[in-house]
């Protein structure tokens, strides 16, 4: 079994209203040293194979088809 983590973030230049809202809320809570916040999402998956190349290929396909909107988002994959 392979454990994988997919991290999806907005591409540079794409507006991030949720990140902006978090930034404002942190400032309101007294965390004045925060300059800029961007938010994203993380997926932890268990893949029932020992073939890392196949697992990575499958994960890329999952990202391209469902997990990430590749028009506005980037993704990274890490395997354990």
């Amino acid at each position: 079994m392979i454990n994988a983590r997919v991290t999806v973030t907005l591409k540079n230049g794409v507006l991030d209203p949720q990140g902006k809202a978090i930034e404002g809320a942190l400032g309101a809570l007294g965390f004045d040293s925060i300059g800029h916040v961007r938010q994203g999402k993380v997926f932890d998956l268990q893949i029932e194979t020992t073939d890392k190349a196949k697992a990575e290929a499958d994960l890329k396909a999952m990202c391209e088809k469902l997990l990430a909107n590749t028009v506005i988002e980037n993704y990274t994959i890490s395997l354990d």
Side-chain angles (χ1 to χ4, degrees):
M1 185 173 309
I2 294 175
N3 293 314
R5 174 166 281 182
V6 175
T7 304
V8 180
T9 56
L10 290 170
K11 290 182 177 181
N12 290 333
V14 175
L15 295 178
D16 184 0
Q18 186 174 4
K20 198 69 171 161
I22 293 167
E23 181 181 320
L26 289 171
L29 291 171
F31 298 103
D32 299 325
S33 62
I34 301 299
H36 187 70
V37 175
R38 305 256 314 157
Q39 63 84 36
K41 52 193 170 187
V42 174
F43 299 93
D44 290 323
L45 302 100
Q46 288 184 332
I47 302 167
E48 295 188 15
T49 185
T50 56
D51 184 345
K52 284 194 172 190
K54 169 125 173 63
E56 189 166 2
D58 286 349
L59 286 162
K60 285 180 182 179
M62 290 176 208
C63 289
E64 297 288 329
K65 293 179 180 181
L66 177 66
L67 300 180
N69 177 349
T70 57
V71 173
I72 62 169
E73 294 175 319
N74 292 317
Y75 62 88
T76 59
I77 297 170
S78 62
L79 303 176
D80 290 340

